[in-house]
Amino acid sequence: MSIKKLKKDVFNDLVAALIDSDQRVVGVKAKGDRFAFGDLESADELRLDYDVTLLPPKKFMLPQMETLLKYEVGGEYKSAGEAPKMTLIGVHPYDLVAINQMDEIFAQDEYDKYYMNRRNNITIIACDVVTPSKNVFAGSMGTATVDKGYDVLLTDMGDSYLAEAATDKGEELLAKAAQADDASPQDIEARSKVWQENKEKLNKHKLNCEPGDIPKLLDKEEVYDHPVWEEKASMCYSCGSCTSVCPTCYCFDVQDDVEWNLKEGKRWRAWDGCVLENFATVTGEHNFRKQRAQRFRHRIFRKGKYVPSKIGGQIACVGCGRCVTACTTDIANPVDIYNRLLEDVKI
Ligand code: SF4
Ligand code: SF4
């Protein structure tokens, strides 16, 4: 696959042509003094120098709320779930690692056609980070750079981008760019330097072990009943902000609604979060994680042990730092918790 060097105005022309085509084009835009993914109306709106988006791009594969099927009594049910063709521009490496993890999860066990159909219709133009956010710790989690999941990866080189195509879709896209030269060995060397620097720069909270050691840490007998869960959870509002902003949280709730005429209805799903009080409530109003500390611990165990056991040991925290920023009581940072455990527990 090819690596091209594109002047920034050439790349902007490419984005403008995509916007003029019949497909949806989403990119990172300014929202006040923050940033968010949204539909692009012009190439000038695109901000690839952003630090972090308010919400991760997972909402384009797994919307906050979606109808799964509609039915009529006595009739057949109709499967819903639209999967429009779209291009997503400006995904940072840590968010792409999260998408790669979700791709694995939604393709295994019960193949989730709603997620997978959307994912398969999305072309991803990823970009290396230019401006580190105040709470990012991707450097500690091994997610400051990424080597798969994108169709094109852009690296900012001042007045131009190095653009690497990784798929046929990516190649087709780059072929549309007029005046794109092949990258020289010096350009590729300069890109390696950016990657090396980003591993250092994107590390505002330093984890005191290798990410691969986290499941081993959480497996230690003394961890499950460690005082850290009560210490932190005593300040937890169970507000769900930390799970809502997380690119690796994918839990959802499924509900059936029957219309007033009792003849038709629909099944829908919406994001849910394990820190919310009713997440583990089952029939009969039994809640098997009634205490805040149990829910707080579950979130950390899910990121560091349960999900990794499904996806070959990858830690389900990519160090985006969004939960750190979103938590009003400053208790959600997984690094603080793992480091606190490491003070008391030998691995
Ligand atoms: S850890 Fe913070 S963000 Fe998460 S539920 Fe508790 S108070 Fe809310
Ligand atoms: S746990 Fe926090 S830092 Fe880790 S991926 Fe989720 S939101 Fe980002």
Side-chain angles (χ1 to χ4, degrees):
M1 294 283 161
S2 59
I3 307 179
K4 301 275 183 195
K5 192 169 185 178
L6 270 69
K7 288 274 178 212
K8 284 188 173 167
D9 53 354
V10 173
F11 177 71
N12 279 358
D13 291 345
L14 190 65
V15 174
L18 280 171
I19 294 170
D20 284 343
S21 72
D22 56 358
Q23 66 169 287
R24 189 175 176 195
V25 181
V26 166
V28 178
K29 308 199 287 190
K31 195 170 184 179
D33 59 356
R34 312 281 293 275
F35 296 94
F37 283 96
D39 288 272
L40 291 178
E41 276 157 32
S42 85
D44 295 339
E45 286 181 318
L46 186 63
R47 289 288 302 273
L48 295 184
D49 60 339
Y50 76 99
D51 54 359
V52 65
T53 53
L54 291 160
L55 282 180
K58 75 173 178 190
K59 62 181 176 173
F60 299 104
M61 294 101 195
L62 184 68
Q64 284 96 330
M65 184 178 275
E66 68 173 317
T67 300
L68 301 176
L69 59 89
K70 294 182 176 171
Y71 60 86
E72 281 173 38
V73 174
E76 295 203 342
Y77 74 83
K78 288 194 194 93
S79 190
E82 290 185 355
K85 233 176 141 188
M86 66 178 272
T87 301
L88 189 52
I89 311 178
V91 179
H92 275 168
Y94 50 80
D95 276 336
L96 191 53
V97 172
I99 290 172
N100 291 340
Q101 291 185 1
M102 286 210 292
D103 290 352
E104 270 188 58
I105 286 159
F106 280 98
Q108 63 180 228
D109 303 334
E110 290 296 320
Y111 183 90
D112 191 301
K113 65 176 183 180
Y114 301 96
Y115 175 96
M116 293 306 294
N117 287 350
R118 272 195 213 95
R119 174 67 183 95
N120 290 334
N121 275 344
I122 295 178
T123 301
I124 294 183
I125 302 181
C127 68
D128 281 312
V129 178
V130 174
T131 313
S133 69
K134 65 176 179 180
N135 282 315
V136 66
F137 55 94
S140 272
M141 304 310 292
T143 57
T145 59
V146 67
D147 60 8
K148 63 175 184 180
Y150 52 83
D151 295 287
V152 173
L153 173 66
L154 301 174
T155 310
D156 193 311
M157 293 289 168
D159 63 350
S160 57
Y161 292 112
L162 272 208
E164 176 178 335
T167 61
D168 291 341
K169 277 197 281 185
E171 284 290 357
E172 264 174 51
L173 203 65
L174 290 190
K176 290 182 190 147
Q179 308 144 3
D181 297 326
D182 286 337
S184 68
Q186 290 80 3
D187 293 328
I188 294 177
E189 181 64 34
R191 184 177 71 163
S192 301
K193 204 160 160 252
V194 170
W195 288 349
Q196 200 48 46
E197 284 170 3
N198 274 0
K199 286 178 190 167
E200 307 289 323
K201 284 194 325 199
L202 306 187
N203 211 6
K204 303 295 167 89
H205 305 276
K206 196 175 168 333
L207 180 68
N208 293 335
C209 68
E210 289 302 315
D213 289 335
I214 292 172
K216 218 180 343 165
L217 170 69
L218 296 182
D219 257 345
K220 295 285 175 182
E221 213 183 324
E222 56 270 50
V223 165
Y224 201 72
D225 291 318
H226 192 278
V228 71
W229 312 120
E230 283 292 348
E231 276 167 30
K232 296 275 185 191
S234 65
M235 294 180 286
C236 177
Y237 295 124
S238 300
C239 65
S241 300
C242 52
T243 51
S244 296
V245 299
C246 181
T248 65
C249 282
Y250 61 85
C251 288
F252 54 81
D253 187 28
V254 177
Q255 300 270 344
D256 281 354
D257 279 347
V258 183
E259 295 297 335
W260 287 106
N261 62 16
L262 300 183
K263 289 186 178 148
E264 55 197 9
K266 68 177 178 189
R267 175 166 295 173
W268 54 272
R269 69 176 170 188
W271 289 1
D272 205 349
C274 58
V275 287
L276 297 171
E277 194 172 354
N278 281 331
F279 180 81
T281 302
V282 293
T283 309
E285 288 299 306
H286 301 295
N287 187 341
F288 50 89
R289 279 193 292 276
K290 211 172 173 50
Q291 308 301 323
R292 274 179 301 176
Q294 294 173 318
R295 299 192 292 273
F296 189 89
R297 176 180 59 199
H298 184 78
R299 168 176 168 257
I300 296 298
F301 266 70
R302 195 159 162 79
K303 308 227 156 280
K305 183 175 169 184
Y306 306 145
V307 176
S309 73
K310 290 166 80 78
I311 52 172
Q314 299 173 72
I315 304 303
C317 168
V318 293
C320 71
R322 290 183 180 94
C323 61
V324 187
T325 307
C327 180
T328 43
T329 55
D330 196 21
I331 53 169
N333 187 347
V335 168
D336 285 349
I337 297 157
Y338 296 133
N339 286 350
R340 169 78 179 83
L341 289 169
L342 285 163
E343 284 172 15
D344 293 348
V345 181
K346 284 235 167 320
I347 50 170

